[in-house]
Amino acid sequence: STCIRFNAEEKVNLEQISLKGLNMDQLRILPVSGLGKSLAQNRSLTRLSLANGSPTKGEFEDLTNSLCVNSTLKYLGLRNHFADLGTEACEMVGRIIMTNRSLVELDLSENKMNDEGANLICAGLRKNDCLKKLFLDENNIGPL
């Protein structure tokens, strides 16, 4: 198991975090809400990959709230990250897209997203002019 401690009060100059291949059973973030607070306050992180995760609804909500106010992140990788949370997670991601003005690349591949989820993502896209690349490969989205 891997353990990362995030303390929102400490200033950390990270530019990239990649946790690819670890699920939340293997990765312990102490405290879980610390990641969210750190992302909200971070001024140097530009790439975050949380591929193959399985967060709880509360963990994903904390992440969402932080990413809505983060102003430095350019790339967010959520490949196969929120598949078990369904449409509710798509609504949260739509909110990130709608409010975050720094993201230019977002990977939402392999999340078992259906047409309803894709429509929630599109709602965020209608109010975003910063995102340049959106990856939706290997979801359950029908033809446009």
Side-chain angles (χ1 to χ4, degrees):
S1 129
T2 302
C3 178
I4 299 174
R5 290 185 186 272
F6 286 96
N7 182 341
E9 286 73 41
E10 292 179 21
K11 294 195 178 216
V12 179
N13 280 334
L14 292 173
E15 290 182 13
Q16 181 171 325
I17 297 175
S18 180
L19 303 174
K20 195 182 303 186
L22 294 176
N23 62 38
M24 291 301 177
D25 294 333
Q26 296 170 310
L27 174 69
R28 293 183 359 192
I29 299 174
L30 302 174
V32 172
S33 60
L35 174 61
K37 288 177 185 175
S38 294
L39 285 174
Q41 297 172 357
N42 186 281
R43 299 292 175 252
S44 60
L45 185 68
T46 59
R47 295 184 60 83
L48 177 63
S49 177
L50 299 171
N52 302 318
S54 55
T56 66
K57 179 183 172 192
E59 290 167 340
F60 200 71
E61 284 174 344
D62 286 346
L63 180 67
T64 298
N65 292 336
S66 300
L67 291 171
C68 285
V69 297
N70 176 281
S71 61
T72 60
L73 206 61
K74 302 292 183 200
Y75 170 84
L76 177 61
L78 296 175
R79 175 181 288 271
N80 190 28
H81 184 71
F82 59 86
D84 296 334
L85 297 178
T87 304
E88 208 169 5
C90 294
E91 185 174 4
M92 289 185 241
V93 171
R95 198 165 41 121
I96 293 168
I97 294 170
M98 188 181 304
T99 58
N100 184 293
R101 294 292 172 241
S102 64
L103 277 178
V104 293
E105 193 171 343
L106 179 60
D107 186 354
L108 302 176
S109 302
E110 299 177 31
N111 277 295
K112 300 179 187 172
M113 188 185 315
N114 60 20
D115 291 344
E116 183 181 0
N119 283 327
L120 292 167
I121 300 296
C122 287
L125 288 170
R126 287 184 192 99
K127 297 185 179 183
N128 181 300
D129 59 358
C130 301
L131 195 64
K132 303 298 181 207
K133 294 181 183 179
L134 176 63
F135 300 94
L136 296 169
D137 306 355
E138 299 182 48
N139 280 295
N140 299 321
I141 303 169
L144 298 175

